[in-house]
């Protein structure tokens, strides 16, 4: 019997190709289906390629989604920025300054991550109604932050545990305060982890539907996900728009992730060490 080390790499390559094809097959069908008519899409005659490319599906999707792109971008950028402004100093204080109740805070944050978003919708709607921020972008941003803040605090906490605190102690001996040491030493050293958290804090509100569906009813303030949700009408689902629109909605996020992939891999690798 041949030892495992001497087995042909072609076997692992073939298995990897098969797994990749299986995982990417739904994306392929979405892409191909976005160029088909609904009749061809549900035709009993199986086809791997559109008989006639319907570019009108994409033109319609762009026309319907474009007015909502700015809303999604504003909500995602503001959510990510506000999340970092809160969690970066909070994680540093919890890990290295030994604030009181840090165990309870982390336990609460972890628990909130285990609960589905629908659990928070009704309490937030009641609270935001009293604050008169329903149907406003600040209300939607705050709603999305109920998930991004716990996630970011847990991630940054794990990342900061490997930070060499001796650098801060040396700065304190030289007369620097905690805030100056945080901005001049901690942030530059932990920038990879911060960028990783910023990316995921951007992607969460970009793909959110639950909070947007519950907190936004005004058409002019609806993000991309709500416009996609409208594909499900009283007469059925508009698959021609939904398939093309789904790809258009996912494309900016996918390009964003690809461009920042090295930060994501590095951030997760370092954060997973502890």
């Amino acid at each position: 019997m041949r030892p495992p080390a001497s087995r042909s790499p072609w076997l692992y390559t073939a298995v990897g190709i098969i797994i990749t094809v299986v995982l990417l097959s739904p994306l392929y069908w979405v892409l191909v289906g976005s160029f088909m008519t609904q009749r061809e899409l549900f035709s009993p005659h199986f086809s791997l390629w559109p008989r006639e490319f319907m570019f009108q599906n994409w033109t319609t999707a762009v026309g319907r989604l474009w007015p909502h792109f700015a809303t999604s971008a504003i909500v995602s950028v503001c959510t990510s920025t506000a999340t970092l402004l809160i969690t970066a100093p909070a994680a540093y204080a919890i890990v290295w300054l030994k604030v009181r109740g840090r165990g309870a805070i982390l336990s609460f944050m972890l628990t909130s991550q285990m609960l589905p978003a629908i659990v928070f919708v009704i309490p937030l709607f009641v609270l935001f109604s009293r604050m008169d921020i329903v149907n406003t972008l600040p209300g939607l941003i705050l709603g999305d932050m109920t998930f991004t803040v716990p996630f970011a605090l847990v991630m940054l906490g794990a990342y900061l545990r490997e930070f060499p605190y001796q650098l801060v102690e040396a700065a304190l001996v030289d007369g620097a305060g905690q805030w100056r040491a945080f901005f001049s030493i901690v942030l530059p050293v932990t920038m990879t982890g911060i960028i990783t958290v910023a990316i995921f804090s951007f992607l969460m509100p970009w793909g959110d539907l639950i909070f947007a569906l519950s907190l936004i009813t005004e058409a002019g303030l609806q993000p991309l996900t709500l416009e996609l949700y409208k594909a499900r009408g009283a007469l059925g689902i508009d698959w021609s728009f939904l398939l093309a629109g789904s790809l258009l909605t996912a494309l900016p996020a996918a390009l964003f992730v690809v461009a920042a992939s090295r930060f994501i891999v590095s951030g997760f690798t370092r954060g997973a060490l502890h």
Side-chain angles (χ1 to χ4, degrees):
M1 183 176 179
R2 299 174 66 186
S6 62
R7 291 177 183 173
S8 173
W10 291 106
L11 174 62
Y12 299 103
T13 303
V15 172
I17 292 175
I18 293 173
I19 294 175
T20 302
V21 169
V22 171
L23 293 178
L24 292 181
S25 58
L27 179 61
Y28 171 79
W29 283 115
V30 173
L31 178 60
V32 172
S34 67
F35 291 100
M36 294 182 177
T37 63
Q38 295 217 145
R39 176 177 294 182
E40 183 180 0
L41 191 61
F42 293 100
S43 172
H45 302 289
F46 182 76
S47 176
L48 289 173
W49 200 252
R51 295 186 180 90
E52 181 182 355
F53 281 86
M54 292 294 297
F55 293 100
Q56 182 64 33
N57 296 343
W58 284 78
T59 304
T60 302
V62 170
R64 289 182 58 175
L65 293 177
W66 179 250
H68 304 272
F69 178 83
T71 299
S72 290
I74 291 171
V75 170
S76 297
V77 170
C78 291
T79 300
S80 180
T81 303
T83 298
L84 286 180
L85 290 176
I86 294 173
T87 57
Y92 171 73
I94 288 174
V95 173
W96 291 113
L97 302 185
K98 314 299 183 184
V99 296
R100 291 184 179 180
R102 60 177 184 156
I105 294 174
L106 289 176
S107 298
F108 177 77
M109 295 297 172
L110 286 172
T111 302
S112 67
Q113 290 290 287
M114 299 176 188
L115 298 174
I118 194 67
V119 174
F120 300 92
V121 167
I122 295 178
L124 285 178
F125 182 82
V126 173
L127 177 62
F128 289 177
S129 296
R130 295 179 179 178
M131 298 171 61
D132 197 24
I133 56 175
V134 174
N135 271 327
T136 64
L137 293 186
L140 182 56
I141 291 169
L142 288 175
D144 289 328
M145 286 177 64
T146 59
F147 264 68
T148 58
V149 168
F151 168 82
L153 190 60
V154 172
M155 283 291 297
L156 286 177
Y159 192 86
L160 282 170
R161 287 189 182 92
E162 71 168 11
F163 174 79
Y165 191 69
Q166 294 82 358
L167 297 177
V168 175
E169 291 176 338
L172 295 177
V173 171
D174 290 338
Q178 285 287 355
W179 279 109
R180 183 178 178 183
F182 175 75
F183 284 108
S184 61
I185 297 176
V186 178
L187 286 184
V189 174
T190 60
M191 187 55 64
T192 301
I194 291 174
I195 293 176
T196 302
V197 171
I199 293 170
F200 282 93
S201 297
F202 176 90
L203 295 178
M204 287 180 179
W206 183 269
D208 167 65
L209 175 63
I210 298 298
F211 290 118
L213 186 63
S214 305
L215 301 175
I216 301 293
T217 57
E218 189 174 325
L221 296 177
Q222 292 179 345
L224 292 170
T225 50
L226 272 187
E227 186 62 26
L228 283 178
Y229 181 75
K230 293 179 182 178
R232 184 178 182 273
L235 301 178
I237 300 176
D238 185 0
W239 289 103
S240 299
F241 163 68
L242 183 61
L243 296 179
S246 298
L247 291 173
L248 285 173
T249 302
L251 185 60
L255 294 176
F256 187 52
V257 170
V258 170
S261 58
R262 65 187 184 93
F263 294 105
I264 297 175
V265 173
S266 178
F268 270 126
T269 302
R270 293 190 180 185
L273 293 177
H274 293 272

